Amino acid sequence: MSIKVTVSPTKEQAVKAVAAEIAALIRARAAEGKEAILGLATGSTPVVLYKELIRLHKEEGLSFKNVTTFNLDEYYGLPGTHDQSYRYFMNTELFDHVDIDKNKTHVPNGMVPQEQVAEACAKYDADIKAAGGVDIQILGIGRTGHIGFNEPPCGPETRTHQVKLDELTIKDNARLFFHGKIEEVPTSAVTMGVGTILDAKKVILLAWGENKADIIKRSVKDAPSEMCPASWLQQHPDTEFVLDTAAASKL
Ligand code: GLP
């Protein structure tokens, strides 16, 4: 199966259609009295999408009252109140600005005692299933080819689990966040597995800028492999890569 690729000149233009698709899903489900289930991502990439969703809420009356969310991942050892935790990120970048019920927003718990992590991960997968499965999963991509925090090597069957972070990821995330301090970046995380991600009905991976061009090419063109976890998306029936011109420049 080949991945559908949509290229726009800028990220602002690129996310318009994605936000419109999410809005259409939310409104269609609301009309049926049902929940829309969104899989959400963190990192710098989806911020522009969340800005557009907030605009749709404030200017076009899009309500998030019938939305349930499941985030991909969380740093292990950071409480949700820590300004570098993904729970904090989601609250400040999206949830605090729309009318979503925070009780229906799920982010893996990075503070579970080590001996209870496996059980908490299994429950996260079970909760996604019980909610009816993810309708639209938003993804970014790391330069190692990771989706969520599934670092290479990673097979397509993995479920929510704890992972050790790659050196490049720790460096990239210190550069962008963590006040640039590498020693502050946690060394492990809890993440949905690739298999968990592949269960979503639709997957939309976003990528901007030239420094993602190589890994985008590997993910789309090379045979799926454990060494590039994003390449497993080629085996998903409805995956779209939404790129700006720079990220698509090596395709
Ligand atoms: C983080 C997140 C990923 C994200 C990636 C890319 O490590 N766990 O979900 O896709 O980094 O980050 P950015 O969007 O800042 O390039």
Side-chain angles (χ1 to χ4, degrees):
M1 251 171 292
S2 66
I3 289 175
K4 180 181 171 195
V5 178
T6 306
V7 185
S8 302
T10 66
K11 58 184 177 182
E12 287 76 15
Q13 282 165 282
V15 296
K16 285 265 176 195
V18 177
E21 185 173 344
I22 292 172
L25 169 79
I26 294 173
R27 290 191 169 115
R29 286 292 160 78
E32 297 169 359
K34 291 189 180 151
E35 289 289 298
I37 316 296
L38 301 179
L40 299 178
T42 52
S44 52
T45 304
V47 171
V48 58
L49 171 65
Y50 298 152
K51 280 209 169 83
E52 175 63 7
L53 289 174
I54 293 166
R55 191 194 67 76
L56 290 175
H57 170 67
K58 297 208 158 131
E59 294 176 15
E60 296 184 22
L62 177 66
S63 172
F64 288 74
K65 285 207 167 113
N66 67 314
V67 175
T68 294
T69 66
F70 288 92
N71 259 80
L72 286 167
D73 47 11
E74 179 62 282
Y75 288 110
Y76 187 68
L78 294 193
T81 49
H82 190 288
D83 70 355
Q84 297 298 325
S85 74
Y86 285 165
R87 158 54 73 183
Y88 187 92
F89 176 100
M90 288 311 302
N91 287 349
T92 52
E93 297 296 335
L94 180 62
F95 301 150
D96 286 345
H97 309 285
V98 295
D99 60 346
I100 198 163
D101 176 355
K102 281 224 187 101
N103 294 318
K104 297 194 291 186
T105 67
H106 307 269
V107 180
N109 182 353
M111 294 304 284
V112 172
Q114 189 56 60
E115 65 279 9
Q116 291 167 27
V117 169
E119 195 187 321
C121 289
K123 183 169 184 308
Y124 201 71
D125 281 331
D127 287 348
I128 295 172
K129 267 215 180 99
V134 169
D135 293 306
I136 298 179
Q137 174 68 56
I138 300 298
L139 296 178
I141 185 168
R143 288 195 296 147
T144 58
H146 74 234
I147 47 177
F149 262 136
N150 295 286
E151 301 282 18
C154 182
E157 314 286 345
T158 46
R159 314 306 305 181
T160 300
H161 63 304
Q162 187 173 12
V163 282
K164 206 174 150 343
L165 300 180
D166 197 284
E167 284 306 317
L168 180 62
T169 301
I170 291 176
K171 240 189 247 162
D172 276 354
N173 290 0
R175 183 172 52 88
L176 294 167
F177 308 101
F178 290 95
H179 322 289
K181 290 186 188 147
I182 210 162
E183 63 280 5
E184 286 189 8
V185 185
T187 53
S188 83
V190 174
T191 181
M192 279 187 199
V194 172
T196 317
I197 292 167
L198 292 175
D199 283 346
K201 289 161 199 145
K202 165 132 202 201
V203 176
I204 300 177
L205 184 145
L206 311 173
W208 328 127
E210 217 187 316
N211 70 341
K212 297 284 172 77
D214 279 320
I215 199 65
I216 288 296
K217 176 174 169 278
R218 278 181 67 196
S219 306
V220 173
K221 301 263 189 201
D222 291 2
S225 119
E226 296 201 339
M227 296 321 289
C228 178
S231 65
W232 295 120
L233 294 167
Q234 292 176 31
Q235 298 182 347
H236 186 271
D238 192 5
T239 285
E240 181 178 0
F241 278 24
V242 173
L243 311 173
D244 67 1
T245 315
S249 59
K250 299 211 167 145
L251 289 178

